[in-house]
Coordinates of all heavy atoms in Angstrom, one line a residue:
W23 N 29.9 1.8 4.2 CA 31.1 2.0 3.5 C 32.2 1.2 4.1 O 32.2 0.9 5.3 CB 31.6 3.5 3.6 CG 30.7 4.4 2.8 CD1 29.7 5.1 3.3 CD2 30.8 4.6 1.4 NE1 29.1 5.8 2.3 CE2 29.7 5.5 1.1 CE3 31.6 4.2 0.4 CZ2 29.5 6.0 -0.2 CZ3 31.3 4.7 -0.9 CH2 30.3 5.5 -1.1
V24 N 33.1 0.8 3.3 CA 34.2 0.0 3.7 C 35.4 0.9 4.1 O 35.7 1.8 3.4 CB 34.7 -1.0 2.6 CG1 35.9 -1.8 3.0 CG2 33.6 -1.9 2.2
T25 N 36.0 0.6 5.3 CA 37.1 1.4 5.7 C 38.4 0.7 5.5 O 38.5 -0.5 5.8 CB 37.0 1.7 7.2 OG1 35.7 2.4 7.5 CG2 38.1 2.6 7.7
P26 N 39.4 1.3 4.8 CA 40.6 0.7 4.6 C 41.3 0.3 5.9 O 41.0 1.0 7.0 CB 41.5 1.7 3.9 CG 40.5 2.8 3.4 CD 39.3 2.7 4.3
G27 N 42.1 -0.7 6.0 CA 42.8 -1.1 7.2 C 43.7 0.0 7.6 O 43.8 0.4 8.8
N28 N 44.4 0.6 6.6 CA 45.4 1.7 6.9 C 45.2 2.8 5.9 O 45.2 2.5 4.7 CB 46.8 1.2 6.9 CG 47.1 0.2 7.9 OD1 46.9 0.4 9.1 ND2 47.6 -1.0 7.5
T29 N 45.1 4.0 6.3 CA 45.0 5.1 5.4 C 46.1 6.2 5.8 O 46.2 6.5 6.9 CB 43.6 5.8 5.4 OG1 42.6 4.9 5.1 CG2 43.6 6.9 4.4
F30 N 46.9 6.6 4.8 CA 47.9 7.6 5.0 C 47.7 8.8 4.2 O 47.3 8.6 3.0 CB 49.3 7.0 4.7 CG 49.6 5.7 5.4 CD1 49.3 4.5 4.8 CD2 50.1 5.7 6.7 CE1 49.6 3.3 5.5 CE2 50.4 4.6 7.4 CZ 50.1 3.3 6.8
H31 N 47.8 9.9 4.7 CA 47.7 11.2 4.0 C 49.1 11.9 4.1 O 49.6 12.1 5.1 CB 46.6 12.1 4.6 CG 45.3 11.5 4.6 ND1 44.5 11.4 3.4 CD2 44.6 10.8 5.5 CE1 43.4 10.8 3.7 NE2 43.4 10.4 5.0
I32 N 49.6 12.3 2.9 CA 50.8 13.0 2.9 C 50.6 14.3 2.1 O 49.7 14.5 1.3 CB 51.9 12.2 2.2 CG1 51.5 11.8 0.7 CG2 52.3 10.9 3.0 CD1 52.6 11.1 -0.1
G33 N 51.5 15.3 2.4 CA 51.3 16.6 1.7 C 52.6 17.4 1.8 O 53.4 17.3 2.7
L34 N 52.7 18.2 0.7 CA 53.8 19.2 0.7 C 53.1 20.5 0.4 O 52.2 20.6 -0.5 CB 54.7 18.9 -0.5 CG 55.5 17.6 -0.4 CD1 56.3 17.3 -1.7 CD2 56.5 17.7 0.8
H35 N 53.5 21.5 1.1 CA 52.9 22.9 0.9 C 54.0 23.9 0.7 O 55.1 23.8 1.4 CB 52.1 23.2 2.2 CG 51.1 22.2 2.5 ND1 50.0 22.0 1.9 CD2 51.2 21.2 3.5 CE1 49.3 21.0 2.4 NE2 50.0 20.5 3.4
F36 N 53.8 24.8 -0.2 CA 54.8 25.8 -0.6 C 54.1 27.1 -0.7 O 53.0 27.2 -1.3 CB 55.4 25.4 -1.9 CG 56.3 26.5 -2.5 CD1 57.6 26.6 -2.1 CD2 55.8 27.3 -3.5 CE1 58.4 27.6 -2.7 CE2 56.6 28.3 -4.1 CZ 57.9 28.5 -3.6
A37 N 54.7 28.2 -0.2 CA 54.2 29.5 -0.4 C 55.4 30.5 -0.4 O 56.3 30.4 0.4 CB 53.3 29.9 0.8
K38 N 55.5 31.3 -1.5 CA 56.5 32.3 -1.6 C 56.0 33.5 -2.4 O 55.5 33.3 -3.5 CB 57.7 31.7 -2.3 CG 58.9 32.7 -2.4 CD 60.2 32.0 -2.9 CE 61.3 33.1 -2.8 NZ 62.6 32.5 -3.2
G39 N 56.0 34.6 -1.8 CA 55.5 35.8 -2.5 C 54.0 35.6 -2.8 O 53.2 35.2 -1.9
N40 N 53.7 35.8 -4.0 CA 52.3 35.6 -4.5 C 51.9 34.2 -4.8 O 50.7 34.0 -5.2 CB 52.0 36.6 -5.6 CG 52.1 38.0 -5.2 OD1 52.2 38.3 -4.1 ND2 52.1 38.9 -6.2
W41 N 52.8 33.3 -4.8 CA 52.6 31.9 -5.2 C 52.2 31.0 -4.0 O 52.9 31.1 -3.0 CB 53.8 31.3 -5.9 CG 53.9 31.8 -7.3 CD1 54.8 32.7 -7.8 CD2 53.2 31.3 -8.5 NE1 54.7 32.9 -9.1 CE2 53.7 32.0 -9.6 CE3 52.3 30.3 -8.7 CZ2 53.3 31.8 -10.9 CZ3 51.8 30.1 -9.9 CH2 52.3 30.8 -11.0
K42 N 51.3 30.1 -4.2 CA 51.0 29.0 -3.3 C 50.8 27.7 -4.1 O 50.3 27.7 -5.2 CB 49.7 29.3 -2.5 CG 49.8 30.5 -1.6 CD 48.5 30.7 -1.0 CE 48.5 32.1 -0.3 NZ 47.2 32.8 -0.5
A43 N 51.3 26.6 -3.5 CA 51.2 25.3 -4.2 C 51.0 24.2 -3.1 O 51.6 24.3 -2.0 CB 52.3 25.0 -5.1
N44 N 50.3 23.2 -3.4 CA 50.0 22.1 -2.5 C 50.0 20.8 -3.3 O 49.4 20.7 -4.4 CB 48.7 22.2 -1.8 CG 48.6 23.4 -1.0 OD1 49.3 23.5 0.0 ND2 47.8 24.4 -1.4
L45 N 50.7 19.8 -2.8 CA 50.6 18.4 -3.3 C 50.2 17.5 -2.2 O 50.8 17.5 -1.1 CB 52.0 18.0 -3.8 CG 52.1 16.6 -4.4 CD1 51.2 16.4 -5.6 CD2 53.5 16.2 -4.7
A46 N 49.1 16.8 -2.4 CA 48.5 15.9 -1.4 C 48.3 14.5 -1.9 O 47.9 14.4 -3.1 CB 47.2 16.5 -0.9
G47 N 48.5 13.6 -1.1 CA 48.3 12.2 -1.5 C 47.6 11.4 -0.5 O 47.6 11.7 0.7
T48 N 46.8 10.4 -0.9 CA 46.1 9.5 -0.1 C 46.5 8.1 -0.5 O 46.5 7.7 -1.7 CB 44.6 9.6 -0.2 OG1 44.3 10.9 0.2 CG2 43.9 8.6 0.7
I49 N 46.9 7.3 0.5 CA 47.3 5.9 0.3 C 46.5 5.0 1.2 O 46.5 5.2 2.4 CB 48.9 5.7 0.5 CG1 49.6 6.6 -0.4 CG2 49.3 4.3 0.3 CD1 51.1 6.8 0.0
A50 N 45.9 4.0 0.7 CA 45.1 3.1 1.5 C 45.6 1.7 1.3 O 45.8 1.2 0.1 CB 43.6 3.2 1.1
T51 N 45.8 1.0 2.3 CA 46.4 -0.4 2.3 C 45.5 -1.3 3.2 O 44.7 -0.8 4.0 CB 47.8 -0.5 2.7 OG1 47.9 -0.1 4.1 CG2 48.7 0.4 1.9
N52 N 45.7 -2.6 3.0 CA 45.0 -3.6 3.8 C 43.5 -3.4 3.7 O 42.8 -3.4 4.7 CB 45.4 -3.6 5.3 CG 46.9 -3.9 5.5 OD1 47.4 -4.7 4.7 ND2 47.5 -3.3 6.4
M53 N 43.0 -3.3 2.4 CA 41.6 -3.1 2.2 C 40.9 -4.4 2.6 O 41.3 -5.5 2.4 CB 41.3 -2.8 0.7 CG 41.9 -1.5 0.3 SD 41.2 -0.1 1.0 CE 39.6 -0.1 0.3
R54 N 39.7 -4.2 3.1 CA 38.8 -5.4 3.5 C 37.9 -5.7 2.4 O 37.7 -4.9 1.5 CB 38.0 -5.0 4.8 CG 38.9 -4.8 5.9 CD 38.1 -4.4 7.2 NE 39.0 -4.2 8.3 CZ 39.3 -3.0 8.7 NH1 38.9 -1.9 8.2 NH2 40.2 -2.8 9.7
Y55 N 37.3 -6.9 2.4 CA 36.4 -7.3 1.4 C 36.9 -7.4 0.0 O 36.2 -7.0 -1.0 CB 35.1 -6.5 1.5 CG 34.5 -6.4 2.8 CD1 34.6 -5.2 3.6 CD2 33.9 -7.5 3.4 CE1 34.1 -5.1 4.9 CE2 33.4 -7.4 4.7 CZ 33.5 -6.3 5.4 OH 33.0 -6.2 6.7
D56 N 38.2 -7.7 -0.2 CA 38.8 -7.9 -1.5 C 38.9 -6.7 -2.4 O 39.0 -6.8 -3.6 CB 38.1 -9.1 -2.2 CG 38.3 -10.4 -1.5 OD1 39.4 -10.6 -0.9 OD2 37.4 -11.2 -1.5
L57 N 38.8 -5.5 -1.8 CA 39.0 -4.3 -2.6 C 40.5 -4.1 -2.7 O 41.3 -4.4 -1.8 CB 38.4 -3.1 -2.0 CG 36.8 -3.2 -1.9 CD1 36.3 -2.0 -1.1 CD2 36.2 -3.3 -3.2
S58 N 40.9 -3.5 -3.8 CA 42.4 -3.3 -4.1 C 42.9 -2.1 -3.3 O 42.1 -1.2 -2.9 CB 42.6 -3.0 -5.6 OG 42.2 -4.0 -6.4
N59 N 44.1 -2.2 -2.9 CA 44.8 -1.0 -2.3 C 44.8 0.1 -3.3 O 44.8 -0.2 -4.5 CB 46.2 -1.4 -1.9 CG 46.2 -2.5 -0.9 OD1 45.3 -2.7 -0.1 ND2 47.3 -3.3 -0.8
F60 N 44.9 1.3 -2.9 CA 45.0 2.4 -3.9 C 45.8 3.6 -3.3 O 46.0 3.7 -2.1 CB 43.6 2.9 -4.2 CG 42.7 3.4 -3.1 CD1 42.9 4.7 -2.7 CD2 41.8 2.6 -2.5 CE1 42.1 5.2 -1.6 CE2 41.0 3.1 -1.4 CZ 41.2 4.4 -1.0
K61 N 46.2 4.4 -4.3 CA 46.8 5.7 -3.9 C 46.5 6.7 -5.0 O 46.3 6.3 -6.2 CB 48.3 5.5 -3.8 CG 49.0 5.1 -5.0 CD 50.5 4.9 -4.7 CE 51.2 4.3 -5.9 NZ 51.7 3.0 -5.6
F62 N 46.2 7.9 -4.6 CA 46.0 9.0 -5.6 C 46.5 10.3 -5.0 O 46.7 10.4 -3.8 CB 44.5 9.1 -5.9 CG 43.5 9.4 -4.8 CD1 43.3 10.7 -4.4 CD2 42.9 8.4 -4.1 CE1 42.4 11.0 -3.4 CE2 42.1 8.7 -3.1 CZ 41.8 10.0 -2.7
F63 N 46.7 11.2 -6.0 CA 47.4 12.5 -5.6 C 46.6 13.6 -6.2 O 46.1 13.6 -7.3 CB 48.8 12.5 -6.1 CG 49.7 11.4 -5.5 CD1 49.8 10.1 -6.1 CD2 50.3 11.6 -4.3 CE1 50.5 9.1 -5.5 CE2 51.1 10.6 -3.7 CZ 51.2 9.4 -4.3
D64 N 46.6 14.7 -5.5 CA 46.0 16.0 -5.9 C 47.0 17.1 -5.9 O 47.9 17.1 -5.0 CB 44.8 16.4 -5.0 CG 43.8 15.3 -4.9 OD1 43.5 14.6 -5.9 OD2 43.1 15.2 -3.9
F65 N 46.9 18.1 -6.8 CA 47.8 19.2 -6.8 C 47.0 20.5 -7.1 O 46.0 20.4 -7.8 CB 48.8 19.0 -8.0 CG 49.7 20.2 -8.2 CD1 50.7 20.5 -7.4 CD2 49.4 21.1 -9.3 CE1 51.5 21.6 -7.6 CE2 50.2 22.2 -9.5 CZ 51.2 22.5 -8.6
N66 N 47.4 21.5 -6.4 CA 46.8 22.8 -6.7 C 47.8 23.9 -6.5 O 48.7 23.8 -5.8 CB 45.5 23.1 -5.9 CG 45.8 23.2 -4.4 OD1 46.4 24.2 -4.0 ND2 45.3 22.3 -3.6
T67 N 47.6 25.0 -7.3 CA 48.5 26.1 -7.2 C 47.7 27.4 -7.5 O 46.6 27.3 -8.1 CB 49.7 26.1 -8.2 OG1 50.6 27.1 -7.9 CG2 49.3 26.1 -9.6
S68 N 48.2 28.5 -6.9 CA 47.5 29.8 -7.2 C 48.5 30.9 -7.2 O 49.6 30.8 -6.6 CB 46.4 30.0 -6.1 OG 47.0 30.2 -4.8
Y69 N 48.1 32.0 -7.8 CA 48.9 33.2 -7.9 C 48.0 34.4 -7.6 O 47.0 34.6 -8.3 CB 49.5 33.4 -9.3 CG 50.4 34.6 -9.3 CD1 51.7 34.6 -8.8 CD2 49.9 35.8 -9.9 CE1 52.5 35.7 -8.9 CE2 50.7 36.9 -9.9 CZ 52.0 36.9 -9.4 OH 52.8 38.0 -9.5
D70 N 48.4 35.2 -6.6 CA 47.6 36.3 -6.2 C 48.1 37.6 -7.0 O 49.3 38.0 -6.7 CB 47.7 36.6 -4.7 CG 47.1 35.5 -3.9 OD1 46.1 34.9 -4.3 OD2 47.6 35.2 -2.8
F71 N 47.4 38.1 -7.9 CA 47.8 39.3 -8.6 C 47.7 40.5 -7.7 O 48.5 41.4 -7.8 CB 46.9 39.5 -9.9 CG 47.1 38.5 -11.0 CD1 46.3 37.4 -11.2 CD2 48.2 38.7 -11.8 CE1 46.5 36.5 -12.2 CE2 48.5 37.8 -12.8 CZ 47.6 36.7 -13.0
N72 N 46.7 40.5 -6.9 CA 46.5 41.5 -5.8 C 45.6 41.0 -4.8 O 45.2 39.8 -4.8 CB 46.1 42.9 -6.4 CG 44.8 42.7 -7.2 OD1 43.8 42.1 -6.8 ND2 44.8 43.3 -8.4
D73 N 45.1 41.8 -3.9 CA 44.2 41.3 -2.8 C 42.8 40.9 -3.4 O 42.1 40.2 -2.7 CB 43.9 42.4 -1.8 CG 45.2 42.7 -0.9 OD1 46.1 41.8 -0.9 OD2 45.2 43.7 -0.3
N74 N 42.5 41.3 -4.6 CA 41.2 41.0 -5.2 C 41.1 40.0 -6.3 O 40.1 39.5 -6.7 CB 40.5 42.3 -5.6 CG 40.3 43.2 -4.5 OD1 39.9 42.8 -3.4 ND2 40.6 44.5 -4.7
V75 N 42.3 39.6 -6.9 CA 42.3 38.8 -8.1 C 43.3 37.6 -7.9 O 44.5 37.9 -7.6 CB 42.6 39.6 -9.3 CG1 42.7 38.6 -10.6 CG2 41.7 40.7 -9.6
T76 N 42.8 36.4 -8.0 CA 43.7 35.2 -7.8 C 43.4 34.2 -9.0 O 42.3 33.9 -9.3 CB 43.4 34.5 -6.5 OG1 43.6 35.4 -5.4 CG2 44.3 33.2 -6.3
L77 N 44.5 33.8 -9.6 CA 44.4 32.8 -10.7 C 44.7 31.5 -10.0 O 45.7 31.4 -9.2 CB 45.4 33.1 -11.8 CG 45.5 32.1 -12.9 CD1 44.2 32.1 -13.7 CD2 46.7 32.4 -13.8
Y78 N 44.0 30.4 -10.3 CA 44.3 29.1 -9.7 C 44.2 28.0 -10.7 O 43.6 28.1 -11.8 CB 43.3 28.8 -8.5 CG 41.9 28.6 -8.9 CD1 41.4 27.3 -9.3 CD2 41.0 29.7 -9.0 CE1 40.1 27.1 -9.6 CE2 39.7 29.5 -9.4 CZ 39.2 28.2 -9.7 OH 37.9 28.0 -10.1
F79 N 44.9 26.9 -10.4 CA 44.8 25.6 -11.2 C 44.8 24.5 -10.2 O 45.5 24.5 -9.2 CB 46.1 25.5 -12.1 CG 46.2 24.2 -12.7 CD1 45.4 23.8 -13.8 CD2 47.1 23.2 -12.2 CE1 45.6 22.6 -14.4 CE2 47.2 22.0 -12.8 CZ 46.5 21.7 -13.9
L80 N 43.9 23.5 -10.5 CA 43.9 22.3 -9.6 C 43.8 21.1 -10.5 O 43.3 21.1 -11.6 CB 42.8 22.3 -8.6 CG 41.4 22.4 -9.0 CD1 40.8 21.0 -9.1 CD2 40.6 23.1 -7.9
A81 N 44.4 20.0 -10.0 CA 44.4 18.7 -10.7 C 44.1 17.7 -9.6 O 45.0 17.4 -8.7 CB 45.7 18.4 -11.3
N82 N 42.9 17.1 -9.6 CA 42.5 16.1 -8.6 C 42.7 14.7 -9.2 O 42.3 14.5 -10.4 CB 41.1 16.3 -8.1 CG 40.9 17.5 -7.3 OD1 41.9 18.0 -6.7 ND2 39.7 18.0 -7.2
N83 N 43.3 13.8 -8.5 CA 43.6 12.4 -8.9 C 44.3 12.5 -10.3 O 43.9 11.8 -11.2 CB 42.3 11.6 -9.0 CG 42.6 10.1 -9.2 OD1 43.7 9.7 -9.2 ND2 41.5 9.4 -9.6
F84 N 45.3 13.3 -10.3 CA 46.0 13.5 -11.6 C 46.7 12.3 -12.2 O 47.0 12.2 -13.3 CB 46.9 14.7 -11.6 CG 48.1 14.6 -10.7 CD1 49.3 13.9 -11.1 CD2 48.1 15.2 -9.4 CE1 50.3 13.8 -10.2 CE2 49.2 15.1 -8.6 CZ 50.3 14.4 -9.0
T85 N 46.9 11.3 -11.4 CA 47.4 10.0 -11.9 C 46.3 9.1 -12.4 O 46.6 8.0 -12.9 CB 48.2 9.3 -10.7 OG1 47.3 9.1 -9.6 CG2 49.4 10.0 -10.3
N86 N 45.1 9.5 -12.3 CA 43.9 8.8 -12.8 C 43.8 7.4 -12.2 O 43.5 6.4 -12.8 CB 43.9 8.7 -14.3 CG 42.5 8.5 -14.9 OD1 41.6 8.9 -14.3 ND2 42.5 7.8 -16.0
A87 N 44.1 7.3 -10.9 CA 44.0 6.1 -10.2 C 42.6 5.6 -10.0 O 41.7 6.4 -9.8 CB 44.7 6.2 -8.8
K88 N 42.4 4.3 -10.2 CA 41.0 3.8 -10.0 C 41.0 3.3 -8.5 O 41.8 2.5 -8.1 CB 40.8 2.6 -10.9 CG 39.4 2.1 -10.9 CD 39.2 1.0 -12.0 CE 37.8 0.5 -12.0 NZ 37.6 -0.5 -13.1
Y89 N 40.0 3.8 -7.8 CA 39.9 3.5 -6.4 C 38.5 3.3 -5.9 O 37.6 3.9 -6.6 CB 40.7 4.5 -5.5 CG 40.0 5.9 -5.5 CD1 39.2 6.2 -4.4 CD2 40.3 6.8 -6.5 CE1 38.6 7.5 -4.4 CE2 39.7 8.1 -6.4 CZ 38.9 8.4 -5.4 OH 38.3 9.6 -5.4
S90 N 38.3 2.6 -4.8 CA 37.0 2.4 -4.3 C 37.0 2.2 -2.8 O 37.9 1.4 -2.3 CB 36.4 1.2 -5.0 OG 35.1 0.8 -4.5
Y91 N 36.1 2.8 -2.1 CA 36.0 2.6 -0.7 C 34.9 1.5 -0.5 O 34.7 1.0 0.6 CB 35.5 3.8 0.0 CG 36.7 4.8 0.2 CD1 36.7 6.0 -0.5 CD2 37.7 4.6 1.2 CE1 37.7 6.9 -0.3 CE2 38.7 5.4 1.4 CZ 38.7 6.6 0.7 OH 39.7 7.5 0.9
R92 N 34.1 1.3 -1.6 CA 33.0 0.3 -1.5 C 33.0 -0.5 -2.8 O 33.0 0.1 -3.9 CB 31.7 1.0 -1.2 CG 30.6 0.1 -1.0 CD 29.3 0.9 -0.6 NE 28.2 0.0 -0.3 CZ 27.0 0.4 -0.2 NH1 26.7 1.7 -0.3 NH2 26.1 -0.4 0.1
N93 N 32.9 -1.8 -2.7 CA 32.9 -2.6 -3.9 C 31.8 -2.1 -4.9 O 30.6 -2.1 -4.6 CB 32.7 -4.1 -3.5 CG 33.1 -5.0 -4.6 OD1 33.7 -4.6 -5.6 ND2 32.8 -6.3 -4.5
G94 N 32.3 -1.8 -6.1 CA 31.3 -1.4 -7.2 C 31.1 0.1 -7.3 O 30.5 0.6 -8.2
F95 N 31.6 0.9 -6.3 CA 31.4 2.4 -6.3 C 32.7 3.0 -6.3 O 33.4 3.1 -5.3 CB 30.6 2.8 -5.1 CG 29.2 2.3 -5.0 CD1 28.9 1.1 -4.4 CD2 28.2 2.9 -5.6 CE1 27.7 0.5 -4.4 CE2 26.9 2.4 -5.6 CZ 26.6 1.2 -5.0
F96 N 33.1 3.5 -7.5 CA 34.5 4.0 -7.7 C 34.5 5.5 -7.5 O 33.6 6.2 -7.8 CB 35.0 3.6 -9.1 CG 35.2 2.1 -9.2 CD1 34.2 1.3 -9.8 CD2 36.3 1.5 -8.7 CE1 34.4 -0.1 -9.9 CE2 36.5 0.1 -8.8 CZ 35.5 -0.6 -9.4
G97 N 35.7 6.0 -7.1 CA 35.9 7.4 -6.9 C 36.1 8.0 -8.3 O 36.3 7.3 -9.3
S98 N 36.1 9.3 -8.4 CA 36.2 10.0 -9.6 C 37.6 9.9 -10.2 O 38.6 9.7 -9.5 CB 35.9 11.5 -9.5 OG 36.7 12.1 -8.5
G99 N 37.7 10.0 -11.5 CA 39.0 9.9 -12.2 C 39.6 11.3 -12.2 O 39.3 12.2 -11.4
K100 N 40.6 11.5 -13.1 CA 41.4 12.7 -13.0 C 40.4 13.9 -13.4 O 39.5 13.7 -14.2 CB 42.6 12.7 -14.0 CG 42.2 12.5 -15.4 CD 43.5 12.3 -16.2 CE 43.2 11.8 -17.6 NZ 44.4 11.6 -18.4
F101 N 40.7 15.0 -12.8 CA 39.9 16.2 -13.0 C 40.8 17.4 -12.9 O 41.6 17.6 -12.0 CB 38.9 16.3 -11.9 CG 38.1 17.6 -11.9 CD1 37.0 17.8 -12.7 CD2 38.4 18.6 -11.0 CE1 36.3 18.9 -12.8 CE2 37.7 19.8 -11.0 CZ 36.6 20.0 -11.9
F102 N 40.7 18.3 -13.9 CA 41.5 19.5 -14.0 C 40.6 20.7 -14.0 O 39.6 20.7 -14.7 CB 42.4 19.5 -15.3 CG 43.4 18.3 -15.3 CD1 43.1 17.2 -16.1 CD2 44.6 18.4 -14.6 CE1 43.9 16.1 -16.1 CE2 45.4 17.3 -14.6 CZ 45.1 16.2 -15.4
Q103 N 41.1 21.8 -13.4 CA 40.3 23.0 -13.4 C 41.2 24.2 -13.3 O 42.2 24.2 -12.6 CB 39.3 23.0 -12.2 CG 38.4 24.2 -12.1 CD 37.5 24.2 -11.0 OE1 37.7 23.4 -10.0 NE2 36.4 24.9 -11.1
I104 N 40.9 25.2 -14.1 CA 41.6 26.5 -14.0 C 40.6 27.6 -13.8 O 39.5 27.5 -14.4 CB 42.5 26.7 -15.3 CG1 43.4 27.9 -15.0 CG2 41.7 26.9 -16.5 CD1 44.5 28.0 -16.1
G105 N 40.9 28.6 -13.0 CA 39.9 29.6 -12.8 C 40.5 30.9 -12.3 O 41.7 31.0 -12.0
L106 N 39.6 31.9 -12.1 CA 40.0 33.2 -11.7 C 39.0 33.6 -10.6 O 37.8 33.6 -10.8 CB 40.0 34.2 -12.9 CG 40.6 35.5 -12.7 CD1 42.1 35.4 -12.4 CD2 40.3 36.4 -13.9
N107 N 39.5 33.9 -9.4 CA 38.7 34.4 -8.3 C 38.8 35.9 -8.3 O 39.9 36.5 -8.3 CB 39.1 33.9 -7.0 CG 38.7 32.4 -6.8 OD1 37.7 32.0 -7.4 ND2 39.4 31.7 -6.1
C108 N 37.7 36.6 -8.3 CA 37.7 38.1 -8.2 C 36.8 38.5 -7.1 O 35.7 38.1 -7.0 CB 37.2 38.7 -9.6 SG 38.2 38.3 -11.0
K109 N 37.3 39.4 -6.3 CA 36.4 40.0 -5.2 C 36.1 41.5 -5.6 O 36.9 42.2 -6.1 CB 37.2 40.1 -3.9 CG 37.6 38.7 -3.4 CD 38.4 38.9 -2.1 CE 39.0 37.6 -1.7 NZ 40.0 37.7 -0.6
F110 N 34.8 41.8 -5.4 CA 34.3 43.1 -5.7 C 33.9 43.9 -4.5 O 33.5 43.4 -3.5 CB 33.1 43.1 -6.7 CG 33.4 42.4 -8.0 CD1 33.2 41.1 -8.2 CD2 34.0 43.2 -9.0 CE1 33.5 40.5 -9.5 CE2 34.3 42.6 -10.2 CZ 34.1 41.3 -10.5

């Protein structure tokens, strides 16, 4: 695998009451072997209805950035998911 010259991870985290949210970003610069620099961002949020039921939403690479750590092998595009976690 090719390692970027510089990789930066940034994040914002929020929690209030039953809500939680996170925004995370990855920025890679000074790529070796002529690969392009890249940046992508992920977001997730959840709401706890009670101790046993949580609704969640996530968006990975929501900017649909095209990125590669290795020439010819690209990372996944945008991905969205919504779900419900239940404990019994």
Side-chain angles (χ1 to χ4, degrees):
W23 290 98
V24 177
T25 303
N28 298 303
T29 304
F30 304 95
H31 300 280
I32 57 173
L34 296 172
H35 308 284
F36 170 83
K38 183 170 184 176
N40 294 351
W41 283 100
K42 295 178 191 138
N44 299 290
L45 176 65
T48 299
I49 301 168
T51 61
N52 296 329
M53 297 293 291
R54 297 182 180 100
Y55 307 108
D56 296 325
L57 296 176
S58 297
N59 299 333
F60 62 83
K61 61 182 172 248
F62 60 89
F63 298 92
D64 301 328
F65 172 78
N66 66 67
T67 188
S68 65
Y69 181 81
D70 297 326
F71 289 101
N72 55 46
D73 289 342
N74 297 319
V75 180
T76 301
L77 177 68
Y78 69 89
F79 170 77
L80 63 91
N82 289 341
N83 190 10
F84 65 83
T85 56
N86 203 31
K88 188 174 183 180
Y89 67 96
S90 174
Y91 284 108
R92 186 174 182 194
N93 198 9
F95 296 90
F96 293 97
S98 60
K100 62 183 168 185
F101 173 81
F102 299 99
Q103 183 176 20
I104 190 167
L106 191 65
N107 287 329
C108 300
K109 298 177 189 173
F110 298 95

